[in-house]
Amino acid sequence: MRHLYLNGAWQSSASGESIDVVNPATEEIIDRVPAGSPADVDAAVAAARAAFPSWARTASAERGKILAAAAELLRERSDQIARIIATDMGAPYGVAMKVQTLMPAGVLASYAQMAETYAFEGGQVGNSRIFREPVGVVAAITPWNYPLHQVICKVGPALAAGCTVVLKPSEVAPLAAFALAGIFDEVGLPAGVFNMVSGYGPVVGEALAAHPDVDMVSFTGSTQAGRRVAALAAETVKRVALELGGKSASLVLPDADLPVATKVTVANAFLNSGQTCSAWSRMIVHRDRYDEAVGLAVEAARKYTVGDPFDEMTRLGPLVSAAQRDRVIRYINRGQEEGARLVAGGTDQPLDRGFYVEPTVFAGVEPGMVIEQEEIFGPVLTIIPYTRGEDEAVAIANDTPYGLAGAVWAGSEEHGVSVARRLRTGQVAVNGGQFNMRAPFGGYKQSGLGRELGEFGLEEYLEIKAVQL
Ligand code: NAD
């Protein structure tokens, strides 16, 4: 059984209870983490509160040095950490290494550098001098799908800004967060600056969101839980940042390069077995090129070999849990009941054990169907035809409660950008533009509040003070 990380030391939970960690490829229990309690949250918040004044006063360059050392250790241990993530979360080793480990190590390094270069002081407005100060004690609540990246997107900027942190990692796939806590311990982060309480959302997460000594809660997860966190935080008027779900569109205009658009859309929809908040899970294609697009998508989907995360041939690992697999299967059944046409994959169990789902593609999907509106969070691509012009395609893309990400494929970059501007969503890739880990990431509408990554992500953790002279 592992321990909580409180006030610079590994400690037992006051609850004495534990949560099993399961390998989704083998269905075996591989570890146990503490099921934290409200008393543990009180201890963690007290430690973070006590450590805050001194950490906030520490020169930002000094904070940056400690974070740089942690980023360096993450890189050095990337093989070990990628193995942890492939084992408790199920991402294929290559994805676990590149996207789930090296990317967050890069994000942490970027915040280490920003701590040294960002202008926390020095702004002037008339007779007022402007200071940017850390918001205080931050509660970070994170999901299982990118279990290290989501943590670093919060903890990196919060620590760089001078905040102290209590992290509650997901109870599903929590082991990378334990590895990170070990690294912070090793690099000499002062006691209380970073604390970690593992456990269930309704117990540990809610105690943090409601805690009067927490100044800000930064949450990534489902819209439903985010709503609850925001309601609890409102009681003490905490700052709230929310990174929630998505149902993003890949909008293919008639003059786009269809083979490239389809291949990249399928890859994006199936990355991490479709368990990506920004997945382009709806492909919107003009009726004139629709059949061709469906054929290309089916061909691409067939190349996604399902299998063990450590097998080099594997492109699609298991879903994270039995519950998640069952949820995705229910959506695949629902899609067929609604009259959508299953053209690849389906509900068959591809392997004898493990929580696997076949790479699945639905054609004949109509706007308003449940599989077109709700976040499935599995390897399921829906392809929706449009018959009239661009306005109709944009209206379909915008017609969900979400607004996290998206793609536009057009004959020219300029045309792509003009359509991208019409999407009510926080990020858009034009003609396959690469993910940028310094660009602001976050949602419009019910996909969230606030932005992570880059300088915008740092500023979420800063208060602004004006001193009149
Ligand atoms: P989840 O909402 O079930 O859990 C997320 C975290 O919140 C976990 O740590 C969980 O324990 C905690 N939690 C659950 N209920 C809570 C409550 N009542 N109060 C406080 N905390 C609570 O989500 P999940 O299943 O872990 O992750 C999948 C969801 O996360 C998807 O909807 C996905 O789109 C979203 N997500 C969003 C982003 C983004 O950046 N927008 C990134 C990754 C995942």
Side-chain angles (χ1 to χ4, degrees):
M1 164 90 132
R2 291 175 180 258
H3 291 88
L4 306 176
Y5 188 69
L6 302 176
N7 205 19
W10 295 100
Q11 299 185 27
S12 305
S13 165
S15 76
E17 286 165 16
S18 66
I19 300 173
D20 291 337
V21 182
V22 175
N23 176 338
T26 63
E27 305 186 23
E28 285 162 0
I29 296 171
I30 50 167
D31 213 328
R32 284 188 307 144
V33 298
S37 67
D40 298 320
V41 169
D42 286 343
V45 172
R49 174 59 57 205
F52 175 65
S54 153
W55 183 245
R57 272 197 315 272
T58 302
S60 55
E62 192 54 38
R63 296 198 297 261
K65 282 202 184 81
I66 299 179
L67 294 182
E72 193 46 44
L73 268 189
L74 268 180
R75 274 206 199 97
E76 274 174 26
R77 295 189 189 155
S78 55
D79 175 57
Q80 182 195 339
I81 291 171
R83 284 174 184 281
I84 289 173
I85 296 172
T87 307
D88 79 350
M89 190 269 149
Y93 176 79
V95 174
M97 173 60 95
K98 191 166 165 227
V99 188
Q100 299 258 24
T101 304
L102 293 178
M103 183 170 77
V107 171
L108 190 58
S110 80
Y111 280 114
Q113 194 185 37
M114 225 178 285
E116 302 199 28
T117 56
Y118 184 81
F120 291 95
E121 300 179 10
Q124 190 83 28
V125 180
N127 66 321
S128 302
R129 208 177 284 168
I130 307 299
F131 297 90
R132 290 179 170 77
E133 300 180 342
V135 69
V137 173
V138 171
I141 303 175
T142 55
W144 46 261
N145 60 334
Y146 289 85
L148 181 63
H149 178 67
Q150 307 298 349
V151 169
I152 288 199
C153 284
K154 300 181 187 315
V155 173
L159 296 180
C163 298
T164 55
V165 174
V166 180
L167 168 67
K168 192 210 90 63
S170 171
E171 62 278 23
V172 187
L175 300 180
F178 280 78
L180 180 68
I183 284 176
F184 282 147
D185 190 64
E186 259 179 84
V187 297
L189 203 59
V193 170
F194 171 85
N195 308 272
M196 183 178 69
V197 182
S198 54
Y200 293 111
V203 180
V204 177
E206 294 203 10
L208 281 168
H211 205 290
D213 259 346
V214 169
D215 298 290
M216 170 173 174
V217 53
S218 177
F219 172 90
T220 298
S222 59
T223 298
Q224 189 190 3
R227 228 178 257 132
R228 176 80 181 130
V229 163
L232 289 168
E235 281 298 317
T236 47
V237 198
K238 289 181 177 56
R239 183 178 294 191
V240 174
L242 301 173
E243 295 287 344
L244 308 177
K247 189 74 181 175
S248 299
S250 177
L251 199 168
V252 187
L253 295 168
D255 58 353
D257 182 336
L258 190 62
V260 172
T262 309
K263 188 172 163 218
V264 178
T265 299
V266 169
N268 182 290
F270 291 171
L271 176 68
N272 215 33
S273 291
Q275 301 165 120
T276 303
C277 50
S278 54
W280 305 338
S281 51
R282 295 183 299 147
M283 185 169 160
I284 302 171
V285 189
H286 195 275
R287 175 62 75 194
D288 290 349
R289 304 197 70 187
Y290 188 77
D291 292 342
E292 189 187 348
V294 170
L296 287 165
V298 170
E299 196 185 312
R302 293 216 171 103
K303 294 189 179 140
Y304 280 74
T305 312
V306 174
D308 185 275
F310 289 99
D311 185 333
E312 274 179 21
M313 299 305 288
T314 295
R315 292 183 74 186
L316 215 59
L319 298 195
V320 77
S321 63
Q324 191 62 24
R325 188 254 332 261
D326 295 348
R327 189 181 123 104
V328 173
I329 296 290
R330 277 199 298 279
Y331 274 114
I332 296 175
N333 283 326
R334 182 71 188 257
Q336 294 179 87
E337 285 155 24
E338 286 181 304
R341 198 154 39 89
L342 186 67
V343 289
T347 56
D348 286 349
Q349 194 60 35
L351 296 170
D352 293 343
R353 61 173 191 171
F355 310 129
Y356 292 94
V357 173
E358 295 270 15
T360 296
V361 179
F362 274 109
V365 177
E366 297 293 333
M369 284 182 177
V370 168
I371 58 163
E372 195 266 340
Q373 286 288 307
E374 295 185 10
E375 186 180 47
I376 297 176
F377 231 52
V380 182
L381 176 68
T382 59
I383 312 183
I384 305 141
Y386 71 98
T387 44
R388 299 189 298 279
E390 214 164 277
D391 288 354
E392 184 197 4
V394 169
I396 295 171
N398 283 335
D399 188 23
T400 78
Y402 295 115
L404 189 55
V408 175
W409 302 89
S412 80
E413 203 166 281
E414 277 326 296
H415 186 192
V417 172
S418 76
V419 175
R421 296 282 311 271
R422 299 179 65 192
L423 299 187
R424 299 281 300 157
T425 172
Q427 285 221 341
V428 188
V430 171
N431 290 345
Q434 292 290 303
F435 184 75
N436 174 0
M437 69 179 183
R438 286 177 180 245
F441 182 94
Y444 283 31
K445 302 192 279 180
Q446 290 186 34
S447 285
L449 285 178
R451 293 292 178 270
E452 293 195 319
L453 296 175
E455 218 167 272
F456 291 93
L458 180 72
E459 288 171 347
E460 292 285 329
Y461 297 91
L462 295 172
E463 289 281 14
I464 299 172
K465 179 175 282 173
V467 174
Q468 282 64 248
L469 298 167

